[in-house]
Amino acid sequence: MAKFLAELLGCTLPSKGASPMFESKSHSRVGLKSSTKQKTTVFSTLANEKSFSDCKKEQQWKTSMYSSITPVCFTSPLIEKPIGKESMPQTPPFSAMFDSSGYNRNLYQSAEDSCGGLYYHDNNLLSGSLEALIQHLVPNVDYYPDRTYIFTFLLSSRLFMHPYELMAKVCHLCVEHQKLNDPDGDKNQIRKIAPKILQLLTEWTETFPYDFRDERMMRNLKDLAHRITSGEEQTYRKNVQQMIQSLIRKLAALSQYEEVLAKISSSSADRLTVLKTKPQSIQRDIITACSDPYTLAQQLTHIELERLNYIGPEEFVQAFVQKDPLDNDKSCYSERKKTRNLEAYVEWFNRLSYLVATEICMPVKKKHRARMIEYFIDVARECFNIGNFNSLMAIISGMNMSPVSRLKKTWAKVKTAKFDILEHQMDPSSNFYNYRTALRGAAQRSLTAHSSREKIVIPFFSLLIKDIYFLNEGCANRLPNGHVNFEKFWELAKQVSEFMTWKQVECPFERDRKILQYLLTVPVFSEDALYLASYESEGPENHIEKDRWKSLRSSLLGRV
């Protein structure tokens, strides 16, 4: 986990004349520009050091072609219908949960500013003790927590305690306060509280299913579910069975997905090694596998949406978990940093960037390399039209790697006007103003979509992580009085909820297994192999390049 964070912390975003690479050490540049630009990392500032408030000021968008767009509202990715026909609370979807500031304006009554360890201001919950927040999560006969609160607290609580610890506390409160273990308890009261407890458990399993890979979580879930379905309350047995079966299916699908990723990873090989041992084993290039750039953009979108779908919302929080300063008993939080699906998505971005660079550097003839560059420009443009900004940036990244950008004779044969437009859209200046404007346009299109294709929004992932990182680092988790800073977590939940909506879109394009197989498994060059292929295509231009060329020929090919 530490290695992954180190790599992620070192990933570069495109400053003017540089491209975003997560692991590459290449000094990337734009097209034929030769000026060397300073790198910026995904978690460092994009220009100078900025505070969290500075970043929020930068996001006050200027007048633009999208200036008339109304504020984007995101439909809820959570379950909408309560279980049973009891008088369950009808809570709003995410479109009504968060306003532009990130807070819910109709969550709480304003009878007083402080109540039961919770502090409110203008009807907004701003802070509270951890124990009070936990009690606020648990329903009773007359109360059910708002879905915004459920999502926000379940998302952020893992910064302070393990999910299984929270589940144990919730179970204890439900059992003790509602007397679920009392055979002589008020049956009418149990009938009123049972559907609410079941609703809370369902929302937890639907939204954060990966929490239940922990056997302690599953054990507590089944125990509490058993208590509310025992005795005369067997009317809820079917709902409980459906909830658990749905959860098991999700966890099984995750396990299968991880097995596939492991097979892909184990079968990956360096392309140069394959070419040296079996020169005839790789004769196809990507144009042979898929001659139509529009089809390739669609297949890339398949991969993006599949990998996005398996990222749990909690992974954004767990990537940055640190020890709670008020928790003296726990010396290490490493075991809760479960971010494997987020890591797999970052690795996919890296692979696509290197694949693009490999395909461009491979051809021997200059005209073939130029054709490959123009092919990827068309793929990138279609990714932009689809709303697949992550693949777009990965392609731009690969084309801006130094082994590619130094091929001046090749670039001289390329019509770069379309490429220049794409780079302008992803220009990092003004905190990626152009990209953020385009992203808002895609999100607005998704809301009013008449077809499934128009619903697609795939954000530039490293920038999304950067935004969440700035939010996490810019605001304390605890206030000086020891209260949890819930104002921060409303904003965090708002950002993650947008992602939750986007990741659930089903890809409308027809799958092509051969193309997908090529994209996921074809060997790619390492960085050194890319430089060697580049020098072999267009010779070194100075003594430094000549010395590196000789060194690479010696180490990689065994030649002097």
Side-chain angles (χ1 to χ4, degrees), residues 305-318:
L305 287 174
E306 179 184 49
R307 300 208 171 190
L308 271 183
N309 186 56
Y310 282 99
I311 298 175
E314 70 280 358
E315 295 190 46
F316 292 101
V317 174
Q318 288 168 172

Side-chain angles (χ1 to χ4, degrees), residues 164 167 205 209 211-224 244 247-248 251:
Y164 78 85
M167 173 62 85
T205 58
D211 286 350
F212 294 86
R213 299 186 91 176
D214 188 325
E215 292 182 0
R216 293 166 293 190
M217 288 286 293
M218 189 66 81
R219 186 165 55 247
N220 279 327
L221 172 69
K222 291 181 177 179
D223 178 65
L224 186 54
I244 294 178
L247 175 60
I248 291 174
L251 297 181

Side-chain angles (χ1 to χ4, degrees), residues 78 133-134 137-138 144-163 166-167 170 199-209 211-212 217 313-315 317-318 486 489-490 492-493:
L78 308 179
L133 292 169
I134 294 173
L137 177 70
V138 179
Y144 186 82
D146 193 280
R147 289 175 64 239
T148 35
Y149 180 78
I150 295 173
F151 178 76
T152 303
F153 186 68
L154 291 181
L155 178 69
S156 58
S157 62
R158 62 200 70 236
L159 289 168
F160 308 99
M161 62 196 307
H162 292 275
L166 176 60
M167 173 62 85
V170 168
Q199 173 75 358
L200 177 64
L201 296 177
T202 302
E203 294 203 29
W204 196 335
T205 58
E206 286 284 336
T207 315
F208 299 93
D211 286 350
F212 294 86
M217 288 286 293
E314 70 280 358
E315 295 190 46
V317 174
Q318 288 168 172
F486 219 73
F489 297 127
W490 285 131
L492 175 65

Side-chain angles (χ1 to χ4, degrees), residues 6 78 87 108 121 143 152 177 230 232 244 313 323 328 344 349 357 389 439 447 452 478 539 542:
L78 308 179
S87 56
Y108 306 102
H121 180 68
Y143 163 78
T152 303
H177 290 191
S230 61
E232 298 179 8
I244 294 178
K323 186 179 184 297
N328 298 319
F349 181 97
F389 298 104
L439 180 66
L447 285 176
S452 53
R478 297 264 193 180
N542 53 53

Side-chain angles (χ1 to χ4, degrees), residues 22 257 261 303-308 311 339-350 388 390-391 458-462 465 499:
F22 285 97
Y257 168 72
L261 288 182
I303 297 173
E304 298 279 354
L305 287 174
E306 179 184 49
R307 300 208 171 190
L308 271 183
I311 298 175
T339 56
R340 63 188 72 182
N341 302 304
L342 189 149
E343 293 175 44
Y345 195 50
V346 170
E347 290 167 1
W348 157 247
F349 181 97
N350 292 335
N388 181 357
N390 201 57
S391 287
I458 303 174
F460 172 30
F461 197 63
S462 70
I465 296 176
F499 166 81

Side-chain angles (χ1 to χ4, degrees), residues 22 33 40 54 87 111 122 195 297 333 371 375 377 423 475 548:
F22 285 97
K33 297 175 183 176
T40 53
D54 293 330
S87 56
D122 290 341
Y333 268 40
R371 183 182 68 164
Y375 173 83
I377 291 173
E423 287 199 310
C475 300
R548 185 170 191 181

